[in-house]
Amino acid sequence: MTETMNAWEQGQYGPASGVRPAQRPMPQPGRNEVLLAVRETALNAADVHLMAGEPLLLRLVYGIRRPRNPVRGMDVAGTVVAVGAGVASARVGDEVVVELPGGGGLAEYAVAPVSRLAHRPPTVSAVDAATLPMAGGTAWQALDAAAVGDGHRVLVLGASGGVGTFAVQLAAIRGARVDATCAARNRDVLEKLGATVIDRSTPAVQLPADTYDAVIEIAGRAPLRALRRLVRDDGTVVLVGGDDGRVLGPVPRMLRAALLSLGPRRRIRSLAATARPEIVRRLLELAAAGRLHAVIERGFPFSDAGCALAHAEAGHTVGKVVVHGGE
């Protein structure tokens, strides 16, 4: 194995135009870690936020002046090529999926904690599997936060992105009736996933009140009181991202939501999704059974990873963007 590898890196926070191809030292797995040959990397809004270093609150965790890990890309499907000390649940040659802490996926190789790995079934392609950890995991956790179940009526606001396309499918799998908002050009995509589509230009205040058991708002900025009026008594609104102020991001809105939820009848919950490999395993099972499908707008070769980041940075992606083949 060589001493260096190809990667895409940024020297400082900023736009995608500042991300450049580079030679980096080959990473080595430490205790309870594995080394992966990266096969596919799916991009998320979180990668764009971390690339820009905004909201500024992120920098307290990921680096004040520059990102501690200069390589973006957190959702990876890859092959285990080496294992560190203490690793018993993975072997060289295993095909796995993982959400990397902080990034590292836009490279030929990446180190991952063994505790975060989910083994990829052979019937699920690497490209589909790479889309699942963050977007699918966030959708799953949002539906859990709203206790979505059989017979419920669910509204997904901003449903055409990665989280939204998975939320629509997972809600339907749970037996819910799903309405979803999106731009007119994306209507066919959402209808094929089983949603009744509402044009996204319809303000929340014009949607029917007291209608839904759960409302999942993705990266939105609708007035909180307007969202709360949409749910029935004992219903729940779940906020996923959104209201991205430059300094604190969604935190002020989260605090307002908490204050509005002090009463017992209609709750507003702000979701802080976390890496949950047990959920990824469930998502992979659904994908292997043909019940869950990745919506992939576009794939980029590794040589065009900078263009992939720019595409994600521009917003309005339908489903997911994937970078193929770092190895």
Side-chain angles (χ1 to χ4, degrees), residues 141-252:
Q141 291 173 61
L143 296 173
D144 277 354
V148 171
D150 188 35
H152 284 181
R153 188 169 180 185
V154 177
L155 173 64
V156 182
L157 295 168
S160 59
V163 176
T165 52
F166 283 127
V168 166
Q169 295 179 79
L170 292 170
I173 287 170
R174 295 183 184 207
R177 173 185 171 186
V178 187
D179 294 348
T181 68
C182 67
R185 66 181 182 276
N186 301 327
R187 173 181 290 271
D188 288 349
V189 173
L190 272 298
E191 288 180 341
K192 288 178 181 177
L193 296 180
T196 299
V197 175
I198 301 169
D199 191 278
R200 73 172 183 184
S201 63
T202 306
V205 294
Q206 294 182 12
L207 295 173
D210 305 317
T211 300
Y212 297 100
D213 299 285
V215 172
I216 312 297
E217 189 206 42
I218 303 167
R221 300 183 179 182
L224 295 176
R225 293 184 186 277
L227 294 176
R228 191 174 65 168
R229 66 177 281 281
L230 299 178
V231 296
R232 301 166 175 150
D233 285 353
D234 296 323
T236 303
V237 176
V238 179
L239 307 178
V240 181
D243 198 25
D244 294 318
R246 185 169 185 270
V247 178
L248 297 177
V251 172

Side-chain angles (χ1 to χ4, degrees), residues 228 255-268:
R228 191 174 65 168
L255 294 175
R256 295 195 300 272
L259 290 174
L260 282 174
S261 296
L262 292 177
R265 293 173 59 234
R266 305 181 186 194
R267 299 170 294 275
I268 305 178

Side-chain angles (χ1 to χ4, degrees), residues 11 56 68 91 96 112 130 138 150 157 214 222 225-226 233 249 256 270 283 291 305 324:
L56 299 179
R68 292 192 184 96
R91 298 180 298 177
V96 298
T138 298
D150 188 35
L157 295 168
R225 293 184 186 277
D233 285 353
R256 295 195 300 272
S270 300
L283 294 169
R291 302 181 66 195
H324 305 307

Side-chain angles (χ1 to χ4, degrees), residues 15-34:
S17 58
V19 180
R20 297 279 190 267
Q23 286 284 307
R24 291 187 56 79
M26 176 68 70
Q28 299 298 319
R31 185 171 184 82
N32 296 321
E33 293 180 333
V34 301

Side-chain angles (χ1 to χ4, degrees), residues 300-325:
F300 290 81
F302 183 72
S303 59
D304 287 338
C307 295
L309 282 167
H311 185 81
E313 180 183 51
H316 311 300
T317 298
V318 180
K320 301 291 295 179
V321 170
V322 179
V323 176
H324 305 307

